[in-house]
Amino acid sequence: MKIDKKTRDKLLISYSTKSKRVGHTKKEIKDSFLDNLFFGMGRIPAITTLHDLYTALALTIRDRIFLQFVQTTDHIAKQDSRAVVFLSAEYLPGPHLANNLLNLNIENETREVMEDLNIDLKDLVEIEEEPGLGNGGLGRLASCYLDSMATLGIPSIAYGIRYEFGIFNQVIKDGWQLELTDKWLHFGNPWEVVRPEIAYEVKFGGRTEKGVDQNGKFQVNWIPHSEVKGTAYDTPVIGNRGNGSILRLWRAEAIESFDFGAFNLGDYYLAVEQKMISENITKVLYPNDQAAGGKELRLKQQYFFVSCSLQDLIYLHRIQGRRMDRLHEKFAIQLNDTHPAIAISELMRLLVDEHQMNWDKAWQITRHCFAYTNHTLLPEALEKWPVPLFQKIFPRHLELIYEINHRFLQELRHLYFYTEEQISRMSIIEEEGERYIRMAHLATIGSHKVNGVSQIHSNLLKNQVLRDFALLWPEKFCNVTNGITPRRFLCVGNPPLTELITEYIGKDWQKDLCHLRKLENLVEDAVFLKKWREVKFKNKQDLASFLKRQTGIEIDPTTLFNMQVKRIHEYKRQHLKVLHIISLYLRLKKGDRNNISPTTFIFAGKAAPGYFMAKLIIKLIHSVSDLVNHDKEVNGRIKVVFLPDLNVKKAQHLYPAADLSEQISLAGMEASGTGNMKFSLNGALTIGTLDGANVEIREEVGEENFFLFGLNVEEVQSKKASGYFSREIYEQNQRLKEVVDFLVSGALSGSTQLFRPLYDHLLYDDPFMLLADFQSYLDAQEQVHKLWLRQKEWTQKSILNTARMGNFSSDRSIRDYCDLIWRVEPIQRQ
Ligand code: NBG
């Protein structure tokens, strides 16, 4: 049977009328919940588990999300809008249930329905497993952006990889990090729908053949060694203003699940082997170890999801009846870092080889489609792939990249008269020693816009890492400072503060975060101040009981909660914070109790499994925690807790309860940071360096409401240039010497050798300049202590931090992307 237009129109009517099936009244929610439980899942009350209840509720919510999503899609199709295509190898959506209830605005109704059924909604929210499809800030940023695109009604589709095993689970044994495999799909995933009919074939390996087609046109044929099928798994995403977007993740499957040749020969295992090999591609997310390059499977993952996504977008373009040469008018494709940068050669391949477009036209379309966001300046994180590996897996792409590069270098040579030295610096191919493909160069050359993620980072990108390109194409470079979604990180994560704010200034801030500025008028209102403090205190009590359950450690909510929550990395300098804690410990041991506010130091974060120093830092934190927490002499003054297995869900418990947020990376190292924003928005004050988004946060909240310390970027660079000898600083600063020596004194875990690698690194190398910033950090901590004694002032500054965070909403970031880069408009709702 063919589905004709008449049928389609009828189908349209049935979903656009608000049917009772997806209504928002209590009765409608309850009916569908019970329907889903009994008919959708076939459960009888006698054996229903908590997880069944969760799934039934998730399905109930998903129906309602779908309605919203489908309506948006319909508008987009009718308006023939230009759309954003977001390509990211990582997403960290966090748990969906509470966020979706908020965005649908049916939280209260749902809670009451559950109460009627004698179910605590909180328990259902708590058991949800989150998809850990990212390592940290980069993946979380992608999810914040998707939330904002949905909220603002930006026509958009986000593509990625459906890793079967996401980021590892971190467990701590004897203070060391151990990694366990993640099992987010163990109980199924009610938020996604599989689309077996949306599937594309992706080639790998083999060789190319050159010839002419029937029209006598030069034609290249890629004869692959193997092919894999990518199937779409869709998770609808809704904003809180009636619109939606979609996260489409690809899962790899064998094209033929069975090798009949092998089967007929009687080799069943060989017959299924190909299936297993194919599925491997989307098995596991790579943790961001220092040397990710060289991992063949990772490169395959990147190409796999990019190829599926581009084929899909061409398909979407064509079913709208549009011409191929208008592709760039209809799609703005954003590369979230270089992980999807191979998309540039893939689009060229699709246009030139598969759609027989001439090179110049194809290149023009490609450059107009793509834009590239850089997320790091760290040299080891700038992706480059060995040419022989490319040759083996993507013989056709290597040819295309050579051609792109050749034309680009010719232009530099003949049009701009560049020197050979400049040319080799800018080439996509690194020629010294082993040959590599520099993905950032490919992304820059193939995009019409390149942006960094904070003001300072964008400047460094322009003036250092991509300097040659910025001189050549100054108009190509811009900045979009990162942002975070206030829906998840304030409304869902911190209901008491949300209520208090709304009680005083109304609800507008939930639509436009800049309205939080109205809180500034309340800093002299004693009643408001008191309520603000009570909310923070309640959040700290909640966190204390959460931490007790998670770690067994008891903490005192009346102490200052000082937090550093982020991946563990030397440049982020968790060990600088440890040095500060040791200095307090040594003072307390000497009986110097003055000027030390009772403080609870909280750490959380994962280290890459292959990153020895980061893992040693975790061990150090635990050793210090053991020592400090069990010492009667310091008890009550300082405590140290490490919360294992940080993820979005756990982080949501932390931000609302923080008094002080530690953002202490060496200046010039952190591209932006987004944890800094989440803490400030929840009323924490920041102690930080002039790095990443700290710079802009400080400008917004006011320098008097921010604890600044440390060298700035220029000072870091000039110190490094003139020869930096950390040992000299160590010799000259008695307190520093004591603290550093303590690492190898035997007092920590009873060993003088355990932390020697850290000790040696600090004394003889110290690339992240902890010793240079140590004294200034201690001085700033002293200021923290002094202000903590003046609770009223502290509270006022806390309010001002929240009040002035409007600019760091991801809604603002997305508007910037729309204006500066994408030229995409929100859909018009009739
Ligand atoms: C990270 C940076 C952070 C930044 C996030 C999001 C990578 C490669 N980069 O500073 O380290 O906040 O990206 O932009 O993960």
Side-chain angles (χ1 to χ4, degrees):
M1 177 193 126
K2 217 169 155 13
I3 305 175
D4 61 16
K5 175 147 187 342
K6 207 163 145 198
T7 315
R8 287 183 201 280
D9 287 345
K10 288 196 182 216
L11 292 172
L12 192 78
I13 287 161
S14 76
Y15 79 70
S16 61
T17 319
K18 265 212 164 170
S19 79
K20 286 205 172 0
R21 196 177 173 285
V22 286
H24 288 191
T25 66
K26 272 179 67 177
K27 174 160 185 351
E28 288 157 340
I29 295 172
K30 187 172 181 176
D31 287 350
S32 24
F33 173 74
L34 295 174
D35 266 10
N36 275 314
L37 185 63
F38 296 121
F39 308 124
M41 299 166 58
R43 275 313 208 189
I44 54 165
I47 54 161
T48 293
T49 64
L50 196 58
H51 201 274
D52 293 331
L53 299 178
Y54 158 77
T55 306
L57 183 59
L59 293 173
T60 306
I61 304 307
R62 194 183 75 182
D63 288 344
R64 283 149 181 83
I65 295 172
F66 258 114
L67 176 69
Q68 196 164 313
F69 165 71
V70 167
Q71 286 171 338
T72 306
T73 313
D74 204 34
H75 285 301
I76 296 174
K78 284 200 189 114
Q79 291 167 22
D80 198 21
S81 317
R82 178 172 161 88
V84 177
V85 173
F86 199 80
L87 295 182
S88 178
E90 300 189 10
Y91 292 91
L92 276 177
H96 298 282
L97 179 56
N99 200 59
N100 284 331
L101 287 174
L102 175 97
N103 282 347
L104 284 171
N105 201 10
I106 52 169
E107 249 178 322
N108 292 338
E109 292 79 353
T110 309
R111 185 173 311 105
E112 287 166 20
V113 167
M114 293 297 122
E115 270 165 18
D116 287 351
L117 298 167
N118 205 22
I119 299 167
D120 190 346
L121 179 60
K122 265 208 196 117
D123 290 343
L124 303 190
V125 168
E126 232 3 84
I127 64 163
E128 181 171 353
E129 280 269 349
E130 69 174 76
L133 310 182
N135 278 283
L138 175 126
R140 183 52 235 177
L141 185 79
S143 290
C144 281
Y145 283 178
L146 195 48
D147 178 275
S148 283
M149 288 193 280
T151 294
L152 298 175
I154 306 299
S156 52
I157 176 162
Y159 289 111
I161 301 173
R162 187 178 177 276
Y163 302 105
E164 190 176 328
F165 301 104
I167 187 73
F168 62 87
N169 291 334
Q170 177 193 54
V171 288
I172 304 292
K173 184 127 201 294
D174 298 329
W176 294 99
Q177 167 180 300
L178 297 181
E179 298 90 24
L180 297 184
T181 45
D182 158 63
K183 297 189 182 64
W184 74 287
L185 288 170
H186 198 67
F187 288 112
N189 172 14
W191 301 102
E192 68 182 5
V193 275
V194 51
R195 307 276 196 201
E197 76 288 6
I198 304 180
Y200 300 94
E201 291 178 6
V202 180
K203 303 176 192 177
F204 292 99
R207 61 193 163 81
T208 61
E209 265 178 9
K210 278 118 204 152
V212 283
D213 64 11
Q214 61 270 55
N215 304 321
K217 209 166 159 264
F218 178 71
Q219 175 74 34
V220 180
N221 233 335
W222 176 9
I223 298 135
H225 167 263
S226 60
E227 280 181 80
V228 171
K229 184 172 77 174
T231 300
Y233 284 69
D234 286 351
T235 305
V237 174
I238 50 156
N240 71 349
R241 286 173 231 168
N243 288 313
S245 180
I246 191 144
L247 176 61
R248 176 163 288 174
L249 302 178
W250 301 103
R251 174 172 186 262
E253 287 167 25
I255 291 186
E256 237 348 309
S257 62
F258 230 71
D259 178 342
F260 284 100
F263 186 61
N264 289 337
L265 292 174
D267 194 339
Y268 178 78
Y269 290 99
L270 190 70
V272 285
E273 193 175 290
Q274 191 52 45
K275 179 173 164 60
M276 286 169 1
I277 294 174
S278 305
E279 289 177 1
N280 269 346
I281 292 183
T282 50
K283 269 281 176 257
V284 62
L285 165 76
Y286 278 95
N288 47 3
D289 280 59
Q290 283 177 307
K295 294 197 175 123
E296 183 171 329
L297 194 57
R298 187 184 165 100
L299 185 57
K300 282 185 166 173
Q301 290 183 333
Q302 297 184 348
Y303 176 62
F304 164 78
F305 100 88
V306 155
S307 178
C308 291
S309 309
L310 292 183
Q311 292 185 61
D312 193 39
L313 109 89
I314 289 176
Y315 170 76
L316 294 173
H317 188 70
R318 303 284 282 204
I319 50 164
Q320 291 266 21
R322 300 167 183 156
R323 288 188 358 222
M324 278 307 281
D325 61 1
R326 298 193 55 207
L327 193 73
H328 58 299
E329 293 168 20
K330 291 296 168 191
F331 292 104
I333 311 177
Q334 192 65 34
L335 302 172
N336 198 29
D337 218 347
T338 53
H339 315 141
I342 196 172
I344 286 165
S345 51
E346 174 67 355
L347 187 58
M348 285 301 284
R349 187 187 71 79
L350 291 167
L351 296 178
V352 173
D353 293 357
E354 310 252 315
H355 292 271
Q356 283 74 41
M357 196 178 276
N358 77 46
W359 182 279
D360 291 332
K361 183 81 210 155
W363 185 237
Q364 188 213 346
I365 291 173
T366 299
R367 283 180 96 166
H368 278 92
C369 278
F370 285 104
Y372 155 51
T373 306
N374 173 286
H375 291 269
T376 183
L377 302 172
L378 296 187
E380 69 269 22
L382 285 174
E383 275 191 302
K384 45 184 200 170
W385 293 100
V387 169
L389 185 61
F390 242 80
Q391 171 77 59
K392 181 177 140 205
I393 314 178
F394 312 122
R396 179 58 184 145
H397 288 77
L398 189 62
E399 292 171 359
L400 291 164
I401 289 173
Y402 279 155
E403 184 65 25
I404 293 169
N405 199 36
H406 173 72
R407 288 170 186 244
F408 171 61
L409 300 186
Q410 285 298 85
E411 212 177 284
L412 295 184
R413 211 169 264 128
H414 301 304
L415 206 63
Y416 300 103
F417 308 108
Y418 273 30
T419 64
E420 283 309 308
E421 196 198 328
Q422 279 174 307
I423 289 173
S424 93
R425 276 207 311 263
M426 296 174 78
S427 170
I428 300 177
I429 312 294
E430 187 177 292
E431 302 276 1
E432 304 100 59
E434 204 191 335
R435 296 170 79 227
Y436 286 99
I437 301 185
R438 300 158 164 160
M439 301 309 274
H441 290 203
L442 176 63
T444 304
I445 294 164
S447 296
H448 68 285
K449 286 279 178 189
V450 176
N451 74 288
V453 290
S454 71
Q455 201 68 60
I456 188 175
H457 166 69
S458 295
N459 286 339
L460 290 169
L461 195 63
K462 238 176 16 195
N463 299 330
Q464 292 174 15
V465 178
L466 295 178
R467 181 160 199 264
D468 293 309
F469 295 97
L471 289 172
L472 178 65
W473 298 308
E475 69 293 342
K476 206 186 250 205
F477 286 76
C478 62
N479 172 58
V480 180
T481 298
N482 282 347
I484 55 167
T485 168
R487 267 77 62 186
R488 181 173 291 277
F489 290 108
L490 185 51
C491 303
V492 175
N494 197 345
L497 194 62
T498 302
E499 265 172 44
L500 177 63
I501 294 174
T502 306
E503 180 193 331
Y504 274 79
I505 64 168
K507 259 191 142 172
D508 285 356
W509 64 273
Q510 294 186 15
K511 288 216 164 29
D512 176 355
L513 202 63
C514 291
H515 285 289
L516 285 178
R517 284 259 175 195
K518 293 179 196 156
L519 294 172
E520 288 186 19
N521 303 328
L522 295 165
V523 290
E524 294 301 338
D525 178 333
V527 178
F528 183 71
L529 260 61
K530 182 163 168 281
K531 288 188 178 172
W532 189 271
R533 260 198 301 273
E534 282 166 1
V535 163
K536 182 62 85 182
F537 188 69
K538 180 181 181 309
N539 289 336
K540 289 168 75 174
Q541 281 177 316
D542 287 352
L543 179 64
S545 48
F546 179 72
L547 287 183
K548 172 87 174 100
R549 290 198 302 276
Q550 295 276 324
T551 67
I553 300 178
E554 271 191 49
I555 60 173
D556 175 357
T558 64
T559 61
L560 189 163
F561 280 12
N562 167 321
M563 297 195 198
Q564 194 170 14
V565 176
K566 49 183 77 240
R567 285 176 300 133
I568 310 289
H569 200 294
E570 286 168 280
Y571 86 77
K572 297 182 187 273
R573 304 200 294 190
Q574 278 90 356
H575 46 336
L576 178 58
K577 183 169 159 183
V578 175
L579 294 184
H580 167 232
I581 299 172
I582 294 176
S583 84
L584 295 177
Y585 173 78
L586 292 175
R587 280 175 54 197
L588 287 169
K589 292 298 280 180
K590 286 185 199 153
D592 171 10
R593 299 175 78 86
N594 295 327
N595 304 328
I596 300 181
S597 299
T599 303
T600 304
F601 295 95
I602 298 168
F603 293 88
K606 294 177 184 177
Y611 187 175
F612 169 71
M613 279 299 203
K615 291 177 121 175
L616 192 59
I617 291 173
I618 294 182
K619 173 69 182 166
L620 175 66
I621 295 169
H622 283 90
S623 299
V624 172
S625 166
D626 276 350
L627 181 76
V628 167
N629 296 359
H630 297 112
D631 190 322
K632 291 259 166 342
E633 282 178 294
V634 302
N635 232 344
R637 284 279 152 170
I638 55 176
K639 231 175 199 179
V640 181
V641 188
F642 185 97
L643 172 65
D645 202 33
L646 177 68
N647 54 21
V648 178
K649 188 164 149 185
K650 288 190 179 177
Q652 282 174 209
H653 287 277
L654 295 171
Y655 302 123
D659 294 307
L660 187 69
S661 140
E662 299 260 350
Q663 306 299 334
I664 60 179
S665 51
L666 175 66
M669 292 285 155
E670 189 70 273
S672 160
T674 43
N676 43 9
M677 303 169 186
K678 294 163 198 165
F679 278 117
S680 264
L681 182 62
N682 283 276
L685 275 61
T686 304
I687 182 165
T689 48
L690 283 178
D691 199 18
N694 288 356
V695 178
E696 290 150 82
I697 291 178
R698 180 167 169 266
E699 271 166 22
E700 286 290 309
V701 304
E703 48 188 77
E704 66 288 2
N705 301 313
F706 187 106
F707 300 102
L708 180 70
F709 77 96
L711 301 172
N712 64 27
V713 171
E714 292 74 33
E715 289 162 342
V716 167
Q717 289 177 349
S718 79
K719 263 203 191 316
K720 284 203 166 157
S722 63
Y724 169 63
F725 300 104
S726 52
R727 205 184 159 104
E728 286 173 7
I729 306 176
Y730 161 89
E731 300 289 359
Q732 285 157 17
N733 183 333
Q734 190 49 35
R735 177 166 290 169
L736 173 62
K737 192 163 182 303
E738 263 174 40
V739 168
V740 174
D741 288 347
F742 190 75
L743 295 175
V744 291
S745 65
L748 291 169
S749 291
S751 165
T752 55
Q753 293 309 306
L754 187 57
F755 300 113
R756 190 158 294 270
L758 274 171
Y759 172 89
D760 286 343
H761 209 48
L762 289 177
L763 281 195
Y764 303 108
D765 193 5
D766 195 19
F768 303 105
M769 302 176 94
L770 277 77
L771 302 202
D773 277 349
F774 177 78
Q775 191 55 51
S776 146
Y777 182 51
L778 251 51
D779 295 344
Q781 293 286 1
E782 192 90 25
Q783 298 306 314
V784 170
H785 156 74
K786 286 192 178 140
L787 188 70
W788 185 249
L789 296 176
R790 306 195 297 271
Q791 278 293 306
K792 179 177 170 206
E793 259 179 75
W794 184 285
T795 308
Q796 289 174 320
K797 288 178 193 294
S798 160
I799 295 169
L800 289 178
N801 263 270
T802 303
R804 295 172 179 174
M805 287 306 288
N807 216 25
F808 300 97
S809 162
S810 44
D811 297 350
R812 190 271 311 144
S813 310
I814 288 301
R815 282 199 201 95
D816 284 355
Y817 275 102
C818 285
D819 295 347
L820 294 171
I821 300 177
W822 298 335
R823 292 176 294 107
V824 171
E825 305 270 338
I827 54 165
Q828 307 295 320
R829 304 274 295 190
Q830 283 88 13

